[in-house]
Amino acid sequence: TLMMLDSLEMSDEDRETIAQNCLKTNEDRIVITHGTDTMVETATVIAGKVKNKTIVLTGAMVPYKFGSSDGLFNIGSALAFVQALPVGVYLAMHGQYFSWDNVRKNKKAGEFEAIK
C-alpha cells in the first residue's frame, strides 16, 4: 500500500511516487487500484516513466460503501488483463481494457470509453 488517498486529492508528487514504485519493484506485471476520477492522469505519468512493464490501473465506479460495487469484478478483470497484455500501461474497467492514451471517463454515462 503506497497511499490511501482520494484520487481527487492526489498531487503530482503522489503520482510520481506511484511511478517510482513501479520502476523500483522487481515485478514486471502490476495492478494498481485507484480512484476513477483521476486514474487517467496517473496512468499518463506512469506511462511517461515506466517502459518495460505491464501495468493495469483499475477502480470502482460505484464505491464499496454504497453496496453493490463493481470494484471486485474490475480487480478480477485487471488481474487477467495484466497477465495477457503486452508491455504498456492500461486501464481495466467493466470487463474492458483501454490503453492509457486512448481512454476517458464519461461521467454522464458512468463508464470509461475509448477516445478514438
Side-chain angles (χ1 to χ4, degrees):
T1 301
L2 294 180
M3 57 193 74
M4 297 295 287
L5 183 64
D6 185 313
S7 68
L8 291 172
E9 297 175 7
M10 289 182 79
S11 65
D12 292 341
E13 184 178 293
D14 294 327
R15 288 182 176 80
E16 181 66 26
T17 297
I18 294 169
Q20 290 303 316
N21 275 273
C22 289
L23 283 168
K24 74 180 182 181
T25 186
N26 291 330
E27 302 301 323
D28 61 357
R29 297 181 183 276
I30 301 166
V31 172
I32 298 171
T33 57
H34 194 289
T36 60
D37 286 322
T38 64
M39 191 183 298
V40 174
E41 289 88 336
T42 300
T44 301
V45 171
I46 294 168
K49 299 186 178 294
V50 183
K51 304 296 183 188
N52 61 345
K53 299 183 182 204
T54 305
I55 301 171
V56 178
L57 290 85
T58 193
M61 293 297 282
V62 179
Y64 183 75
K65 68 181 178 181
F66 293 125
S68 182
S69 176
D70 56 331
L72 291 176
F73 177 79
N74 292 335
I75 289 173
S77 296
L79 289 169
F81 286 134
V82 80
Q83 295 176 70
L85 290 169
V87 167
V89 178
Y90 306 90
L91 277 68
M93 294 293 293
H94 304 131
Q96 299 180 68
Y97 74 89
F98 305 91
S99 178
W100 69 273
D101 59 349
N102 187 35
V103 65
R104 67 177 161 226
K105 182 178 178 181
N106 182 328
K107 292 180 183 180
K108 188 173 182 180
E111 61 188 22
F112 280 80
E113 60 190 14
I115 295 170
K116 304 171 199 165

